[in-house]
Amino acid sequence: MKKLVIFIGLILTLGVTTYAQKSPSETVIKFYRALKDKKYVEGFHVSVYRGAIEGLTPAELKELEPDFARTFSEIPDKIDVKGEQINGETATVFLKFEAIEEFQQITLIRINGEWLVGDQESLTMVNQQGKNFFFNSRISVNEQEAILMLSRIHSSEIIYAQKFNNTYATLAELVKLQALNEDMADSESSGYFFAMTMSEDKTSYAVTATPKLYGKTGRISFYLDQTGILKGEDLQGKAATNQSPVFQPKNN
């Protein structure tokens, strides 16, 4: 009789556990709410990024918090679930974000009976990179943003040269003309230092983008001049030069 009571108790416990499992929709809402409230460990815990966030030391988490804050600050206060589709071990939740017309489709996968926000490809990357995942992601984003900024500088210089007899503007002048944002050189937000050198007659220029913290905010150092040819290489945090090779982005 005692064994039977224990067995029945075990079944009831399993039943309660199964019933308590959050649905895909509940999981997605918890994920966004936690990130919105800056509860990053709690939010990422219900996603495929769990292995990356749980491996961080308190100091590393603090270092990443400004990046998380910028990334998730635009999560709206109002999020409505408009439906969900479950297909075996994967699910899609359809959300309506406040002030955004299009529905957002959020993918989840089920691991050991638990729904996690994300897909199998991302989970594989997290399993391979561990706690370095977020730092590697930050580096990738910063490098892409540095490339876009250099492209914007070059485009602005072309327009300026057409108006001012084939001479070029300094970064400060481009900011003053509102061709660039005032915070373009803010390495705290971009992860890169931007610097420009110019000939005395202002008919040529060169601009570099160098990681603020090599290996943490970026790896590639970039160089661009009036030719528009982007050069870049891993120089362990040193500035790139005209002697650097033409930058060849890696295919993901």
Side-chain angles (χ1 to χ4, degrees):
M1 177 63 71
K2 184 176 181 180
K3 291 184 179 180
L4 179 60
V5 171
I6 294 175
F7 179 75
I8 292 175
L10 177 60
I11 293 298
L12 290 175
T13 301
L14 291 175
V16 170
T17 301
T18 303
Y19 177 79
Q21 289 288 345
K22 293 185 179 297
S23 69
S25 296
E26 291 171 325
T27 301
V28 167
I29 292 299
K30 180 178 180 179
F31 174 74
Y32 278 109
R33 291 287 179 240
L35 297 183
K36 175 70 173 178
D37 294 338
K38 298 183 179 182
K39 299 176 181 179
Y40 304 120
V41 174
E42 179 181 328
F44 285 122
H45 184 77
V46 294
S47 75
V48 297
Y49 309 105
R50 175 187 293 176
I53 198 72
E54 291 181 343
L56 297 174
T57 65
E60 289 170 333
L61 179 60
K62 185 176 181 179
E63 182 179 344
L64 287 167
E65 281 181 351
D67 299 283
F68 292 153
R70 283 191 296 271
T71 301
F72 304 121
S73 62
E74 296 184 3
I75 295 176
D77 293 325
K78 185 178 181 181
I79 301 176
D80 294 324
V81 175
K82 295 300 182 181
E84 67 176 33
Q85 294 179 350
I86 298 176
N87 183 15
E89 300 301 295
T90 64
T92 301
V93 175
F94 300 89
L95 300 180
K96 177 64 174 64
F97 285 179
E98 185 178 17
I100 298 178
E101 292 297 327
E102 299 82 7
F103 284 1
Q104 308 299 308
Q105 298 186 30
I106 312 302
T107 300
L108 301 91
I109 57 176
R110 185 157 48 193
I111 304 295
N112 297 325
E114 181 182 9
W115 287 109
L116 300 176
V117 175
D119 54 33
Q120 186 61 51
E121 182 179 356
S122 298
L123 178 61
T124 299
M125 292 178 61
V126 169
N127 288 339
Q128 292 172 345
Q129 300 178 30
K131 71 174 185 179
N132 292 324
F133 174 83
F134 287 118
F135 289 102
N136 291 339
S137 297
R138 178 172 69 176
I139 288 173
S140 179
V141 170
N142 286 346
E143 289 178 349
Q144 289 301 312
E145 289 182 345
I147 293 172
L148 290 174
M149 178 58 70
L150 290 170
S151 177
R152 184 173 179 181
I153 291 172
H154 181 62
S155 298
S156 299
E157 293 288 15
I158 290 176
I159 296 173
Y160 186 93
Q162 291 172 345
K163 292 183 178 180
F164 297 96
N165 299 319
N166 294 317
T167 60
Y168 298 105
T170 64
L171 292 179
E173 288 171 331
L174 291 178
V175 170
K176 187 175 181 179
L177 292 169
Q178 297 184 339
L180 301 176
N181 295 329
E182 290 186 6
D183 63 349
M184 64 80 53
D186 180 9
S187 62
E188 292 297 330
S189 59
S190 69
Y192 269 78
F193 288 116
F194 292 86
M196 177 180 283
T197 57
M198 187 170 290
S199 62
E200 289 187 10
D201 60 3
K202 301 183 72 172
T203 59
S204 64
Y205 73 90
V207 60
T208 59
T210 309
K212 178 192 175 186
L213 295 173
Y214 175 77
K216 288 191 174 183
T217 65
R219 293 194 182 94
I220 305 300
S221 296
F222 298 101
Y223 172 96
L224 183 72
D225 58 25
Q226 68 280 351
T227 65
I229 299 175
L230 179 64
K231 299 183 177 182
E233 58 180 323
D234 187 337
L235 291 171
Q236 304 290 306
K238 296 181 180 179
T241 69
N242 188 38
Q243 302 304 312
S244 296
V246 175
F247 178 65
Q248 299 290 343
K250 295 180 180 179
N251 295 323
N252 295 326

